[in-house]
Amino acid sequence: MAKETGVDHNKTVAHELSKVLADTFTIYQKTHGYHWNVVGPNFRGLHLLLEEQYNEIWASVDEIAERIRALGQSAPMGADAFGNLTSIKDGDPSLAAEAMLKDLIAGNETTVATLKKAAEVADEAGDISTNDLCTQRITAHEKHIWMLKSSLA
C-alpha cells in the first residue's frame, strides 16, 4: 500500500504500539492477580496455568516497549499513561474461578483486537518488523484464549 506523504509513520505506528503495550501490561497484571487469588477445586491447575501465561506475557512487555523506542518514540509508563491507553478494566479478586477465566478470555480478546489494529497500521506504513511483532503476539494471545476456554467447565 502506498504511504501518505507528510505523515510521520513511525509516530503513528508507535502510538498504536503504545495501546498494545498498555493492553499487554494490563492483561499481565490481571493474569498475575488472578493467579494470586484463584480458589476452588481446580486451584492448582489454574494457579499454574495463569503463572505460565503471566510469565509469557511479561516477557513480551519489554519487547513491545523497545520496538516503540526503535521507532524513535517514548514508551508510555505508569498507571495513568496505561490507564488512558488500555481498553481492559482491572480485575476483581473476589470473582469465582470461572468468572476470572471468562474475564481473562475477554481481556486477551481485546488485546488481540488491539494487536490486529497495530499490525494493520504497521502494514500500511510498510513496517514489517512491527507487523511481525504484532503477528507473533496475536498468536500467543490466541493460545492463551484457547487454554483458558479449555479450562472452563
Side-chain angles (χ1 to χ4, degrees):
M1 183 172 278
K3 296 181 190 178
E4 295 176 51
T5 55
V7 175
D8 185 346
H9 294 286
N10 285 356
K11 189 173 184 177
T12 302
V13 171
H15 178 70
E16 293 304 317
L17 269 183
S18 292
K19 294 176 190 175
V20 167
L21 182 61
D23 280 359
T24 302
F25 197 81
T26 305
I27 196 67
Y28 159 77
Q29 289 180 313
K30 183 180 281 195
T31 305
H32 206 150
Y34 286 160
H35 159 83
W36 291 330
N37 292 295
V38 69
V39 296
N42 298 322
F43 165 77
R44 178 126 174 94
L46 293 176
H47 187 74
L48 293 173
L49 173 64
L50 298 179
E51 180 176 11
E52 180 182 299
Q53 289 190 0
Y54 78 68
N55 281 328
E56 190 284 326
I57 296 167
W58 179 250
S60 73
V61 169
D62 200 49
E63 187 176 6
I64 297 164
E66 287 177 354
R67 183 65 195 149
I68 294 168
R69 295 296 297 136
L71 292 168
Q73 303 300 311
S74 294
M77 51 186 271
D80 287 343
F82 288 146
N84 289 329
L85 290 165
T86 190
S87 301
I88 300 170
K89 302 282 187 232
D90 287 341
D92 178 354
S94 70
L95 293 177
E98 185 173 324
M100 287 180 177
L101 296 182
K102 288 178 179 178
D103 191 25
L104 289 173
I105 290 166
N108 277 282
E109 288 172 341
T110 297
T111 304
V112 167
T114 304
L115 280 157
K116 286 180 178 180
K117 173 66 174 163
E120 179 183 308
V121 170
D123 188 50
E124 290 170 1
D127 181 347
I128 59 174
S129 294
T130 299
N131 185 284
D132 181 56
L133 172 62
C134 291
T135 301
Q136 290 178 40
R137 295 307 311 148
I138 289 166
T139 301
H141 286 282
E142 287 177 342
K143 183 176 180 181
H144 295 323
I145 293 165
W146 160 60
M147 290 187 166
L148 292 165
K149 284 182 176 180
S150 295
S151 297
L152 288 171

